[in-house]
Amino acid sequence: MTEAKQGAFHTGQYRNVIAEYGLASEQEAAGRLQDTWDQLFGEDGDHAETRIYYEAGPDMGYLLDTGNLDVRTEGMSYGMMMAVQMDRKDIFDRIWRWAMTYMYMTEGEHAGYFAWSCLPDGSRNSNGPAPDGEEYFALALFFASHRWGDGEGIFDYGRQARDLLRTCLHKGEDGVGRPMWNPDNKLIKFIPNCEFTDPSYHLPHFYELFALWAYPEDRAFWREAAQASRAFLKTACHPVTGLAPEYAFYDGTPNHVRGFGHFFSDSYRVAANIGLDWEWFRADPWNVKEANLIQAFFADKDPADLRRYTIAGEPLDEPALHPTGLIATNAMASLAADGPHARRAVELFWRTPVRTGNRRYYDNCLYFFAMLALTGNYRIWMPSGS
């Protein structure tokens, strides 16, 4: 088997980096993962300072952005991905029901998409959608379909995923609304009504799976989108530091609108995505180089003094808003990295607790994904019989 076919999609094998590095036994790593889940999703009073999931009534639940006191499609779709990986159908269904009840839009130019921000009572802050939510919703639904089987109505997970992806690609063909991917260059947009992108939205490892499970007429697009996003990331990530901007034009150059052309909160996810793409598919050795560059850049940085940077690596005055999340994503890059800083990044993460306080939501989402991935539990759930 060639190196390009060594990824978990082909082998079914997932690295437990924590155990590989001798930081814990497999049993201890599994216990830490469960404890992390309990801190984010548990109900007892001991978890009041770490939890981000809350139940709503008898059959719904939501993830709260504790810094902004709203419910976002980003967090809801993340929560569904976390739940399916942890085999928690009860929580998955609660989150999905809340999203479909309050966020899903049936009228107007965004019908078929999800409103990106709501208050905890379900009222909308905005009717605009954010594509990173839709892509996570879709893959979480496919995984749920394959792991638990399809139900009826909104719990016909596979159909819901296929319909959502069809909307993302074909919205606007009737003259109403716009698609979430540019149909010409196959790149995901920051929002449907703009023509620039966010490098952290680019998930070629998701698109590889959409190319297998979307409606047949859409599968070629997703194969091309995976290739296009991998090519785009090479232009967006700085060739020396590896850092990506929060917003970028389609040619990869930073888009400084509203100050989002630097390396800051959104950008952290690029390292995690690079690591998981390599773990799942090993489609492009550039992922290894990129992971090494990011980890080398942060190797001499004091974790207590992380901040906003230009993509060339110049430190700016603003401290990092989510330092725990940055530590987590840099560690997740070790799924791809083979350089001298891979182990240190994971050790730092393993020593770092989940975040407490009002800014904990984003950090702890990234933290949990890193804990899943580095313990070998961020998995592709294939259809039965595959």
Side-chain angles (χ1 to χ4, degrees):
M1 185 175 291
T2 65
E3 174 69 14
K5 297 297 184 183
Q6 292 292 323
F9 174 79
H10 303 280
T11 67
Q13 302 298 311
Y14 295 83
R15 293 176 62 199
N16 186 332
V17 176
I18 299 300
E20 280 182 27
Y21 288 170
L23 301 178
S25 68
E26 290 191 5
Q27 183 177 3
E28 290 167 338
R32 178 75 174 270
L33 174 63
Q34 182 62 52
D35 179 66
T36 305
W37 168 269
D38 292 342
Q39 291 188 70
L40 273 57
F41 287 81
E43 293 186 19
D44 68 58
D46 292 341
H47 301 140
E49 281 296 302
T50 57
R51 67 182 299 199
I52 56 176
Y53 170 77
Y54 299 85
E55 291 191 352
D59 58 4
M60 289 193 281
Y62 59 84
L63 275 77
L64 179 69
D65 181 333
T66 54
N68 295 292
L69 299 179
D70 66 347
V71 180
R72 303 184 171 202
T73 51
E74 167 196 74
M76 296 293 276
S77 59
Y78 282 4
M80 288 166 57
M81 181 63 77
M82 295 171 188
V84 73
Q85 296 294 342
M86 294 296 289
D87 199 17
R88 288 298 301 269
K89 185 178 186 297
D90 56 333
I91 289 180
F92 185 101
D93 286 351
R94 281 178 171 270
I95 297 171
W96 181 232
R97 184 180 279 110
W98 201 101
M100 288 296 292
T101 299
Y102 298 119
M103 297 178 132
Y104 186 70
M105 294 178 282
T106 59
E107 298 178 336
E109 67 171 312
H110 298 309
Y113 292 148
F114 292 81
W116 78 274
S117 173
C118 293
L119 293 175
D121 66 6
S123 57
R124 292 179 190 161
N125 290 321
S126 169
N127 285 322
D132 60 331
E134 268 71 359
E135 58 186 349
Y136 265 88
F137 277 137
L139 191 59
L141 287 163
F142 278 131
F143 285 172
S145 173
H146 302 160
R147 188 165 198 184
W148 301 319
D150 291 322
E152 297 181 354
I154 67 169
F155 302 112
D156 186 351
Y157 306 121
R159 181 178 63 81
Q160 292 288 334
R162 289 187 291 273
D163 286 352
L164 179 56
L165 291 180
R166 181 167 58 190
T167 300
C168 289
L169 297 189
H170 299 289
K171 186 73 173 172
E173 291 179 356
D174 61 356
V176 180
R178 296 185 182 180
M180 288 188 163
W181 272 258
N182 181 292
D184 298 320
N185 60 32
K186 311 298 190 295
L187 298 180
I188 191 171
K189 304 177 184 182
F190 174 65
I191 58 173
N193 294 344
C194 78
E195 289 299 338
F196 64 88
T197 188
D198 178 326
S200 74
Y201 285 14
H202 288 257
L203 306 175
H205 45 304
F206 282 30
Y207 312 154
E208 295 274 11
L209 300 175
F210 295 165
L212 299 176
W213 304 327
Y215 285 119
E217 61 270 25
D218 295 331
R219 292 175 184 174
F221 180 97
W222 293 115
R223 286 192 292 271
E224 294 175 19
Q227 296 174 357
S229 278
R230 289 188 178 113
F232 165 79
L233 287 169
K234 293 178 182 178
T235 69
C237 297
H238 193 276
V240 176
T241 66
L243 304 183
E246 290 195 288
Y247 295 173
F249 297 107
Y250 290 142
D251 65 0
T253 56
N255 180 353
H256 288 284
V257 61
R258 295 184 292 157
F260 284 92
H262 297 305
F263 178 88
F264 204 51
S265 301
D266 271 21
S267 310
Y268 304 170
R269 297 179 292 197
V270 173
N273 298 338
I274 291 291
L276 194 61
D277 184 26
W278 183 252
E279 171 73 351
W280 283 5
F281 287 100
R282 299 202 179 184
D284 190 339
W286 175 83
N287 289 32
V288 178
K289 177 183 177 182
E290 167 65 9
N292 289 339
L293 288 176
I294 293 172
Q295 291 185 338
F297 176 79
F298 285 103
D300 64 351
K301 305 293 185 292
D302 183 347
D305 190 36
L306 298 171
R307 54 190 53 251
R308 185 190 293 266
Y309 303 92
T310 69
I311 65 168
E314 301 163 6
L316 302 176
D317 290 339
E318 187 174 0
L321 190 60
H322 300 289
T324 299
L326 179 53
I327 289 169
T329 55
N330 286 347
M332 195 164 159
S334 293
L335 291 168
D338 64 359
H341 308 294
R343 183 187 179 98
R344 176 189 176 278
V346 176
E347 289 176 339
L348 176 60
F349 168 69
W350 192 246
R351 295 195 307 268
T352 301
V354 298
R355 187 171 181 179
T356 60
N358 66 353
R359 283 290 177 185
R360 65 187 182 272
Y361 150 80
Y362 185 66
D363 294 82
N364 289 350
C365 283
L366 300 184
Y367 188 102
F368 189 78
F369 281 138
M371 191 64 71
L372 275 173
L374 294 170
T375 59
N377 289 289
Y378 201 155
R379 301 190 173 194
I380 300 169
W381 291 94
M382 299 290 290
S384 177
S386 295

